[in-house]
Amino acid sequence: MSAVISPNTGFKTAWRYLLLVVFALIFVFPIVFMVVSSFKPAQQLLRDTASIAAFLPVGDLSFDNYAAAFRRAPVALFIFNSVFITVVTVAGALFICSMAAFSFAFLEFKGKEVVLAVLIATLIVPFETIAIPMLMLVNNLPWIGGSGLQFGWLNTYHVQIVPFLADALTIFLFVQYFRDLPRELIEAARLDGATWFQVYTRVIVPISGPVFATAAILKFLAMYNQYLWPLLVTQSEQYRPVMVGLQYFFQLNIAWGEVMAYLSIITLPVLIFYLVLQRAFISSIASTGIKG
C-alpha cells in the first residue's frame, strides 16, 4: 500500500523550506553586497545602495579596488599573519583543551567538579576587563629566542598565540561530548593494558571527529577575528593580523570600494576552512542530544 501524504503535511513542509530560504537569504545578502561592491567604483557603489542594484553585478565592474587595496596596505602579510597565528593556536588549543576535557570526563580526582564549575564561570568575564592586566603580565614574561633570554612578549607572534591555547568554552565543548561516549570503550582499553594517554589517542580521538571540527571552527573564527588584543600587543605591521590591518583603509580618505575588496579577500580563509570541515561540523550539530 502506497503511503498517503496529507495536504497539511505538504503545506507545512513547503512553509518550512520557504522560511529556511528566507533566513538563508538574510545571511547571504551582506556577503553578496560585499563581493559585488568590491568591483564597483566608489561613486557607483554609493549610488547603487539605494536600489536592488547594490546586490547585482551591473555597471562599470573592474578589479581596480583590489589592486588599490594591495597598494594601500600589505594585505598578503596581514593574511599570512592571521592564518599562521590562527592555525597554530587552533592546533594547540585542540590538543590542550581536549586533554583537559579528557581528564574532567574520565579521570577521578578530588575537587574535579568544583574546578570545572569555576572554569566554566570564567565564560561570563568579558575579555576587555582582563586585557590590560594580561598586557602588563606578558610585557614582563621571559622568552628564549634567537637572541637568547629576553623579557617582554610585545610585538611577537607568540604573544598572540600562547594566551589563547586554552579556553573554557573549548574545554566545555569537549567535556560535554566526551561524557556522552560509552564508558565501556575506555574500560575495555584499560583492561587491555592501555595507558590513559593511549586511551586518549587511540580510542577517544578517532571517534570524536565532530566535536574536534566544531571546536576548530569556533576557535578559528574567534582567533581570526581578533582585534583588541593584537591592537594592544603589536606596534609593527610585521606581526599585525587582518583585523588590525583594516585600520589602513580608514585613514584620510575612505574608499569604500577598497574596503569591500579588502573584506572580500580576508573572508576567503574563513570560507575555505569552513568548507573543509563542514561535513564534520554538520554531523556534530545533527547528533546533538542523541545518545546511546
Side-chain angles (χ1 to χ4, degrees), residues 22-32:
V22 171
F23 279 116
L25 290 176
I26 291 174
F27 285 101
V28 168
F29 271 158
I31 299 177
V32 173

Side-chain angles (χ1 to χ4, degrees), residues 21-104:
V21 170
V22 171
F23 279 116
L25 290 176
I26 291 174
F27 285 101
V28 168
F29 271 158
I31 299 177
V32 173
F33 172 77
M34 176 185 69
V35 175
V36 171
S37 298
S38 68
F39 295 101
K40 296 180 180 180
Q43 295 299 323
Q44 181 185 342
L45 189 160
L46 296 175
R47 185 172 62 252
D48 287 350
T49 54
S51 66
I52 192 64
F55 302 97
L56 301 176
V58 295
D60 185 15
L61 306 180
S62 69
F63 287 93
D64 291 346
N65 289 327
Y66 288 88
F70 276 91
R71 288 194 300 268
R72 178 175 288 208
V75 179
L77 175 62
F78 292 155
I79 293 177
F80 171 80
N81 289 342
S82 283
V83 171
F84 174 74
I85 292 167
T86 301
V87 169
V88 173
T89 307
V90 168
L94 290 180
F95 176 72
I96 294 173
C97 294
S98 63
M99 286 284 287
F102 178 84
S103 66
F104 283 120

Side-chain angles (χ1 to χ4, degrees), residues 225-242:
N225 292 321
Q226 278 218 5
Y227 175 76
L228 177 60
W229 183 247
L231 183 66
L232 292 174
V233 299
T234 60
Q235 290 83 41
S236 169
E237 67 181 22
Q238 180 182 353
Y239 300 101
R240 284 177 174 168
V242 292

Side-chain angles (χ1 to χ4, degrees), residues 18-288:
L18 179 61
L19 288 175
L20 290 175
V21 170
V22 171
F23 279 116
L25 290 176
I26 291 174
F27 285 101
V28 168
F29 271 158
I31 299 177
V32 173
F33 172 77
M34 176 185 69
V35 175
V36 171
S37 298
S38 68
F39 295 101
K40 296 180 180 180
Q43 295 299 323
Q44 181 185 342
L45 189 160
L46 296 175
R47 185 172 62 252
D48 287 350
T49 54
S51 66
I52 192 64
F55 302 97
L56 301 176
V58 295
D60 185 15
L61 306 180
S62 69
F63 287 93
D64 291 346
N65 289 327
Y66 288 88
F70 276 91
R71 288 194 300 268
R72 178 175 288 208
V75 179
L77 175 62
F78 292 155
I79 293 177
F80 171 80
N81 289 342
S82 283
V83 171
F84 174 74
I85 292 167
T86 301
V87 169
V88 173
T89 307
V90 168
L94 290 180
F95 176 72
I96 294 173
C97 294
S98 63
M99 286 284 287
F102 178 84
S103 66
F104 283 120
F106 301 115
L107 302 184
E108 296 298 332
F109 55 90
K110 189 175 181 179
K112 179 177 70 172
E113 296 301 327
V114 175
V115 173
L116 181 60
V118 172
L119 186 66
I120 295 173
T122 61
L123 289 172
I124 67 174
V125 180
F127 178 75
E128 291 78 6
T129 62
I130 62 173
I132 299 303
M134 281 180 59
L135 178 64
M136 298 175 64
L137 176 64
V138 298
N139 192 38
N140 294 285
L141 288 177
W143 184 264
I144 300 177
S147 303
L149 181 63
Q150 299 174 334
F151 286 87
W153 288 14
L154 300 186
N155 221 37
T156 61
Y157 285 124
H158 53 268
V159 74
Q160 303 176 70
I161 296 174
V162 176
F164 305 98
L165 288 177
D167 66 276
L169 177 60
T170 307
I171 293 174
F172 178 70
L173 288 175
F174 278 111
V175 169
Q176 292 301 102
Y177 189 90
F178 288 168
R179 283 180 171 174
D180 288 340
L181 296 177
R183 299 191 68 88
E184 292 80 6
L185 295 174
I186 290 86
E187 294 171 357
R190 291 290 290 168
L191 289 175
D192 287 340
T195 63
W196 282 114
F197 186 72
Q198 289 174 329
V199 172
Y200 166 78
T201 56
R202 298 181 183 180
V203 178
I204 300 302
V205 173
I207 61 176
S208 301
V211 71
F212 272 90
T214 301
I217 290 174
L218 295 178
K219 191 68 175 179
F220 188 97
L221 291 174
M223 290 302 302
Y224 193 81
N225 292 321
Q226 278 218 5
Y227 175 76
L228 177 60
W229 183 247
L231 183 66
L232 292 174
V233 299
T234 60
Q235 290 83 41
S236 169
E237 67 181 22
Q238 180 182 353
Y239 300 101
R240 284 177 174 168
V242 292
M243 290 304 164
V244 179
L246 189 60
Q247 288 185 323
Y248 284 63
F249 296 88
F250 292 94
Q251 298 172 355
L252 301 177
N253 60 318
I254 301 176
W256 288 107
E258 296 178 19
V259 172
M260 295 300 171
Y262 180 75
L263 293 176
S264 298
I265 294 171
I266 67 176
T267 302
L268 284 176
V270 178
L271 293 178
I272 293 172
F273 188 78
Y274 173 75
L275 290 175
V276 170
L277 298 179
Q278 67 169 334
R279 181 171 298 180
F281 179 74
I282 294 172
S283 174
S284 176
I285 298 299
S287 62
T288 301

